[in-house]
Amino acid sequence: MSIQIYARLFDVLVTKCNESTEPKGSPTNEYGTISLLDIFGFESFKVNRFEQLCINYANERLQQKYVVDNFQAIKLEYEEEGVNVFDFSLVDNTDVMVLLEGKLGLITQLNEECVKKIGGDEQFVYKLKVVNSDSNRLIQDPLHRPYEFGIRHYAAPIKYDARMFMERNLDKIPSDLLKCACQSTNQLVREEFLQLSSINEAPKKSGGLKKRSEATKHLVFSKFKSQLTSLMSLIENSRTRYIRCVKPNKGMTPRMMDHSHTVSQLESAGLVTAIVISRESFPNRLSYELVMERFKFLSYKFHDCILNSGDIKVDSENLLSHLLAGITADSHLGRVKPFSCGKTRVYFRAGALEMIETIRQEHYAKRAIQVQAWVRSLFGRRQYLTSKRGMILLQSQVRCWLARTTFARQVRSAVILQCFIRKCMAAKELSYRRKNHASTVIQTRWRGMKPRGEFKSVCKAVIRLQCFHRMIMGRKAIAIKKKEREEQKAIETRFSVIQQTFDDATTIHGNASVFSVDEGLLDEVETMFDFLRKEIVVLRKKNTKLKKELAEAESDKREIFNHASSVDHAFALSKIRNEQMSKTNLALLDDNNRRRKEVSKLKNELKTQQQAHESQLQEMRTEFEMALRHREMEVKTMQQNLHSSAALHKREVQVVRDESERKQEEHYSQISRLREEIKNTQDSHQDYLSKLMDVLETTQESRRSISVPAGERVLRKKEEEISELRDEVARLRQDAGMEGNGDADASKKEAVKSMKYIVKKNREHRKSSVQ
């Protein structure tokens, strides 16, 4: 009962909140919404019941949406391009959803058992295991009790306790409690439960059997499934962002991280598997045209990289194979290439595209350094020419500044002299004005003493008159108040006498007997007294009002009198001031006439000085224009010289280039000629060596055939000469294999010397043999 009350009140509150926040006067679909969905995470306890199944079912639906959003589109793209797809079964939970909400799934079996009259929890578990025996997501453990079953969720395998499943799925309210709630004094509770009662009574009124879908429509799991379906349809029509919340430790302790607990939460959320699949996927992709456009120029680094096959896919794969040679990536298939070629584009694994971009940037950096060197040389040349022109311009400016400084110094000297003369004249004028001002101040003070004393005496007299007038008015007011009091006292005395007379007339002393009096007379007397009292009150109010008006008139009179006295005093003061102003005016007129004469004199002097200054300025302008024309002519001449020198420089540069090319051609021809000479020298050297060996052999044979009468000393000497000749021949053969311009010349000289020495020895030997 409490659950139904809570659920009904929660639905009413949500409906009212939505109606209050909904925009008025226009359809809701014209406005965008930002919605937050906060649900329980994956739950796994020691005993998992109906509530844990509902929460885990909702998590499976959301996981399926997450997989579709993040991996399904990538999988379809890879399949269309013909790229090797990652192992999608690691994150796909379609078989779990089939087990839960298929035609013969868990929800259908549970609803059927709830509709049956003889259904039970154990029968539901038995039927579930029999019907879905081929599902690899349903755990059929022989050690399970009859009311236990297990499901392999995307996060972890869970064992559920099916007891109370049917009761919680039906969620029926006893009829007596429903009638009691319908008679509640709370209007909201009464209306909600009356709606629930009408829904429960509707099938009875309709008569006949309903379809199975209608029978299971009001079950808890069916409601939960329909609500979850509407929620998922709303999520599919929106732009979804996922936020995973991880609890760092079980004890809710700040600044402490339980790594095993955190990792288990990440595994339960499926994030570890998603990260593994993301690593195996291809985060970067480029079309073949863009690959060739960006990286084709890098093929010059590889001699065997030929990109003229005519097929852009083959050329791109050949280029990338050379650029990423020796690099592999990890995958569920082992070590694979860091890229994969599809039908229309190339897919790169993590880090592969960054590596190629790095090679490209390094190439551009080297070329940029070369361009910078050329540009800096150009800028250096321009800076040198600019500095040269600037120095010339600076020299002219300095000369101009020196002439201008000399002129300014002369002008300052003239101005200082003028200032000194004007200072002397102003000091003279100041001393005269100080004397005149002092006398004027003394006169002003002396003339103001008498009027000031008169004004003070008048003020004192006025104050005394005011005091006397206020005293008289106070006395009159006191007399009037005293007279009013006496009149009031007489009236009260009269009234008391009349009252006493009336009391005496109505009462007889002694026997205390009362006689009759005329009642009309008494009423008339009472009426007269009341009238008199009211008249007295009215007269008093009028008297008070008249006194106030009199006081106001007296105050107005005093103000008028004070105003008239102040006007008289102001008139007297203005008269005195007028006299003083007339005297001052006469003095100022005299001073003004004198000033005018001085001003006319100064104007004449200023006019003379201006004429002299204008003549000097005209002369300076003429000189400056002549100097400027002269400088412009010099600048034009320098520009013409600069152009001629630039043209001459270009011609000289061209001549030097032609000369360098001619020298280079001569150098190349000389090198080729030297190489031919070296080759001819080596050939002649070889021929000479062979001839020399023949001579040596002939000499040795002749020495053996000739009988030598000399002793062993001569033979030893001949053998030493022969060994020297053999060493020289060996050295010449070794030098014959050497190449190079300098080495060839040196070896040629040594060979000539050796030849001469050998010929000389041979001749001596022949002479000795003949002798």
Side-chain angles (χ1 to χ4, degrees):
M1 187 67 183
S2 60
I3 295 173
Q4 286 293 333
I5 293 173
Y6 176 80
R8 291 285 173 175
L9 292 179
F10 182 79
D11 292 339
V12 170
L13 286 175
V14 171
T15 305
K16 293 293 183 183
C17 291
N18 292 335
E19 291 176 356
S20 301
T21 56
E22 184 180 1
K24 306 297 182 182
S26 60
T28 308
N29 55 7
E30 292 184 1
Y31 295 89
T33 58
I34 299 175
S35 304
L36 298 177
L37 175 61
D38 184 13
I39 66 168
F40 286 101
F42 190 81
E43 289 190 354
S44 175
F45 303 124
K46 291 182 179 179
V47 179
N48 298 286
R49 299 192 181 276
F50 184 75
E51 291 79 8
Q52 282 71 42
L53 179 61
C54 293
I55 291 172
N56 294 337
Y57 168 59
N59 280 284
E60 288 286 353
R61 287 292 297 270
L62 291 174
Q63 177 68 14
Q64 188 182 27
K65 178 67 171 58
Y66 173 76
V67 170
V68 170
D69 290 344
N70 291 278
F71 300 106
Q72 190 69 31
I74 300 173
K75 178 186 175 184
L76 294 175
E77 181 182 357
Y78 289 172
E79 289 177 351
E80 290 176 358
E81 290 288 333
V83 178
N84 189 12
V85 185
F86 53 84
D87 191 3
F88 191 70
S89 62
L90 296 175
V91 293
D92 190 12
N93 62 341
T94 305
D95 47 0
V96 181
M97 299 308 301
V98 171
L99 175 63
L100 291 174
E101 58 183 13
K103 291 184 178 180
L104 300 176
L106 185 146
I107 299 174
T108 305
Q109 298 298 330
L110 181 60
N111 290 338
E112 286 181 356
E113 290 297 322
C114 291
V115 171
K116 290 180 180 179
K117 294 182 180 180
I118 58 173
D121 297 328
E122 295 182 0
Q123 294 177 3
F124 154 68
V125 174
Y126 175 75
K127 187 182 292 185
L128 175 66
K129 290 183 178 180
V130 170
V131 173
N132 298 282
S133 59
D134 57 343
S135 176
N136 59 348
R137 293 288 185 169
L138 183 64
I139 302 174
Q140 298 188 10
D141 193 349
L143 299 178
H144 282 173
R145 294 183 176 88
Y147 52 81
E148 290 180 349
F149 66 95
I151 298 175
R152 291 186 180 90
H153 291 281
Y154 74 94
I158 303 289
K159 183 177 72 173
Y160 292 99
D161 188 347
R163 287 179 294 182
M164 303 293 290
F165 264 39
M166 295 180 61
E167 182 179 350
R168 293 181 182 178
N169 191 25
L170 291 170
D171 197 20
K172 289 185 178 180
I173 304 175
S175 58
D176 53 351
L177 290 179
L178 185 61
K179 291 179 181 179
C180 181
C182 292
Q183 297 175 3
S184 174
T185 56
N186 191 315
Q187 183 180 359
L188 180 61
V189 175
R190 185 172 63 253
E191 290 177 355
E192 292 296 324
F193 276 92
L194 284 173
Q195 292 179 4
L196 181 62
S197 177
S198 63
I199 291 172
N200 292 334
E201 291 175 0
K204 296 178 182 180
K205 294 179 181 179
S206 61
L209 295 175
K210 303 175 79 176
K211 293 182 180 179
R212 187 179 300 275
S213 60
E214 292 293 331
T216 60
K217 188 168 87 172
H218 299 291
L219 298 177
V220 174
F221 222 130
S222 298
K223 292 179 183 178
F224 185 77
K225 181 182 177 181
S226 62
Q227 292 175 0
L228 186 59
T229 304
S230 62
L231 174 64
M232 295 307 296
S233 63
L234 179 62
I235 292 174
E236 287 175 358
N237 296 327
S238 62
R239 190 174 181 180
T240 313
R241 295 289 183 271
Y242 298 92
I243 300 173
R244 303 284 188 176
C245 299
V246 179
K247 187 166 63 174
N249 55 72
K250 296 180 180 179
M252 302 293 184
T253 306
R255 299 180 181 179
M256 190 179 75
M257 177 71 73
D258 187 355
H259 295 286
S260 59
H261 181 62
T262 306
V263 171
S264 66
Q265 291 182 77
L266 294 175
E267 290 177 351
S268 299
L271 292 180
V272 176
T273 308
I275 291 169
V276 172
I277 291 177
S278 298
R279 289 179 60 187
E280 291 189 4
S281 63
F282 302 92
N284 306 110
R285 54 184 63 84
L286 292 176
S287 62
Y288 289 117
E289 292 79 6
L290 188 58
V291 169
M292 296 302 292
E293 181 183 350
R294 291 181 64 84
F295 309 120
K296 184 178 181 180
F297 67 94
L298 296 176
S299 61
Y300 78 95
K301 293 187 175 183
F302 311 101
H303 300 289
D304 57 343
C305 183
I306 301 172
L307 305 178
N308 54 2
S309 63
D311 188 357
I312 191 171
K313 180 178 179 180
V314 176
D315 292 341
S316 300
E317 187 172 3
N318 187 12
L319 176 61
L320 294 175
S321 299
H322 283 83
L323 290 174
L324 298 174
I327 301 172
T328 57
D330 292 330
S331 176
H332 66 285
L333 301 175
R335 305 294 294 182
V336 295
K337 292 194 298 183
F339 69 95
S340 181
C341 295
K343 295 179 181 179
T344 60
R345 63 189 69 183
V346 183
Y347 293 87
F348 296 91
R349 296 189 184 272
L353 184 59
E354 288 79 2
M355 186 176 296
I356 302 176
E357 289 290 345
T358 303
I359 298 171
R360 180 172 175 268
Q361 291 297 328
E362 290 176 354
H363 173 77
Y364 280 143
K366 291 179 181 178
R367 299 301 179 268
I369 290 170
Q370 295 176 357
V371 174
Q372 287 175 358
W374 181 80
V375 171
R376 284 170 183 164
S377 65
L378 181 62
F379 284 169
R381 177 66 180 169
R382 288 182 181 177
Q383 187 176 3
Y384 167 72
L385 296 175
T386 305
S387 301
K388 186 177 179 181
R389 289 193 296 269
M391 290 300 295
I392 296 170
L393 182 61
L394 181 62
Q395 289 174 0
S396 63
Q397 293 291 335
V398 168
R399 293 185 186 121
C400 178
W401 176 77
L402 290 173
R404 219 178 264 161
T405 305
T406 305
F407 173 73
R409 191 181 300 113
Q410 294 174 359
V411 171
R412 281 197 300 272
S413 301
V415 170
I416 289 169
L417 184 59
Q418 292 175 358
C419 290
F420 179 73
I421 294 171
R422 290 171 184 164
K423 175 187 172 186
C424 294
M425 295 174 67
K428 186 177 179 181
E429 180 68 22
L430 180 61
S431 62
Y432 170 75
R433 288 191 179 185
R434 280 180 179 173
K435 292 177 183 178
N436 189 13
H437 181 68
S439 62
T440 303
V441 170
I442 293 170
Q443 289 175 4
T444 303
R445 293 294 177 86
W446 175 254
R447 289 169 185 167
M449 283 177 64
K450 187 176 179 181
R452 202 177 290 114
E454 291 176 358
F455 177 74
K456 287 182 179 179
S457 61
V458 169
C459 287
K460 289 180 181 179
V462 169
I463 291 169
R464 287 180 182 177
L465 287 173
Q466 289 176 355
C467 292
F468 181 72
H469 182 265
R470 288 169 184 162
M471 182 183 70
I472 292 172
M473 294 300 294
R475 286 178 181 177
K476 287 181 180 180
I478 289 170
I480 291 168
K481 289 181 180 180
K482 188 175 180 182
K483 188 175 179 181
E484 289 177 356
R485 283 183 183 176
E486 289 177 354
E487 289 177 356
Q488 187 176 1
K489 191 174 181 182
I491 291 169
E492 290 177 355
T493 304
R494 252 179 108 183
F495 181 75
S496 62
V497 170
I498 293 170
Q499 187 71 29
Q500 186 66 33
T501 305
F502 179 76
D503 292 338
D504 293 341
T506 55
T507 306
I508 301 175
H509 299 282
N511 296 326
S513 62
V514 181
F515 58 92
S516 62
V517 184
D518 189 0
E519 293 293 334
L521 180 62
L522 292 175
D523 293 336
E524 188 177 354
V525 170
E526 289 290 338
T527 305
M528 188 180 295
F529 278 125
D530 293 336
F531 177 73
L532 290 174
R533 287 192 189 99
K534 292 177 181 179
E535 286 293 327
I536 289 168
V537 172
V538 172
L539 290 173
R540 283 179 181 174
K541 290 180 179 179
K542 289 182 178 180
N543 191 14
T544 304
K545 185 176 181 183
L546 290 173
K547 286 179 181 179
K548 289 182 180 179
E549 291 178 356
L550 182 61
E552 291 177 356
E554 289 293 334
S555 63
D556 293 338
K557 183 180 178 181
R558 284 195 298 273
E559 289 178 359
I560 292 168
F561 179 75
N562 293 332
H563 182 67
S565 60
S566 62
V567 168
D568 292 336
H569 288 299
F571 180 73
L573 289 173
S574 63
K575 188 176 181 180
I576 294 167
R577 288 178 182 174
N578 194 7
E579 292 176 357
Q580 292 177 356
M581 291 294 290
S582 60
K583 292 178 182 180
T584 307
N585 194 11
L586 292 173
L588 289 173
L589 288 172
D590 296 336
D591 192 11
N592 191 13
N593 293 327
R594 184 173 58 81
R595 297 281 181 187
R596 283 180 180 176
K597 293 178 182 179
E598 291 179 358
V599 167
S600 62
K601 186 178 178 180
L602 290 172
K603 282 182 179 179
N604 294 328
E605 292 179 358
L606 181 62
K607 189 174 181 181
T608 306
Q609 290 180 0
Q610 284 181 352
Q611 291 176 356
H613 179 67
E614 286 178 358
S615 62
Q616 291 179 359
L617 184 62
Q618 188 65 29
E619 292 176 359
M620 289 178 64
R621 283 178 180 172
T622 306
E623 292 177 358
F624 179 73
E625 288 176 357
M626 292 177 66
L628 184 62
R629 291 195 192 96
H630 181 66
R631 298 300 180 192
E632 287 178 355
M633 292 175 65
E634 289 181 354
V635 169
K636 288 181 181 178
T637 305
M638 291 175 65
Q639 287 179 352
Q640 292 176 359
N641 295 333
L642 180 62
H643 290 309
S644 62
S645 62
L648 181 62
H649 178 68
K650 288 182 179 178
R651 288 195 295 271
E652 290 178 354
V653 168
Q654 187 65 31
V655 170
V656 170
R657 284 179 180 172
D658 296 339
E659 186 68 22
S660 64
E661 290 177 358
R662 188 175 59 78
K663 292 286 186 184
Q664 192 172 6
E665 290 176 358
E666 291 178 356
H667 181 66
Y668 288 154
S669 61
Q670 189 176 4
I671 288 172
S672 60
R673 184 172 54 80
L674 288 173
R675 284 179 179 173
E676 291 176 358
E677 289 180 358
I678 290 168
K679 188 175 181 181
N680 296 330
T681 304
Q682 287 178 354
D683 295 338
S684 63
H685 194 191
Q686 290 288 340
D687 296 336
Y688 181 74
L689 286 175
S690 60
K691 291 177 181 179
L692 186 61
M693 290 300 296
D694 295 337
V695 170
L696 286 175
E697 290 176 357
T698 307
T699 304
Q700 192 172 6
E701 289 177 358
S702 62
R703 186 176 60 82
R704 289 175 182 174
S705 61
I706 297 172
S707 59
V708 183
E712 294 179 357
R713 184 175 57 82
V714 177
L715 291 174
R716 192 179 297 113
K717 186 177 180 181
K718 295 297 182 180
E719 289 177 357
E720 289 176 359
E721 290 176 358
I722 290 170
S723 62
E724 288 178 1
L725 288 173
R726 285 178 179 175
D727 294 337
E728 188 68 25
V729 169
R731 186 173 62 81
L732 289 173
R733 284 179 177 176
Q734 185 177 1
D735 293 338
M738 297 173 63
E739 293 182 0
N741 295 333
D743 295 338
D745 295 337
S747 61
K748 190 188 291 184
K749 292 178 182 180
E750 290 179 359
V752 172
K753 290 179 181 180
S754 302
M755 288 177 194
K756 290 179 180 180
Y757 177 76
I758 292 169
V759 170
K760 185 179 179 181
K761 289 288 185 181
N762 195 5
R763 286 175 181 175
E764 290 178 357
H765 179 66
R766 284 179 181 177
K767 288 179 182 180
S768 62
S769 300
V770 171
Q771 290 176 2

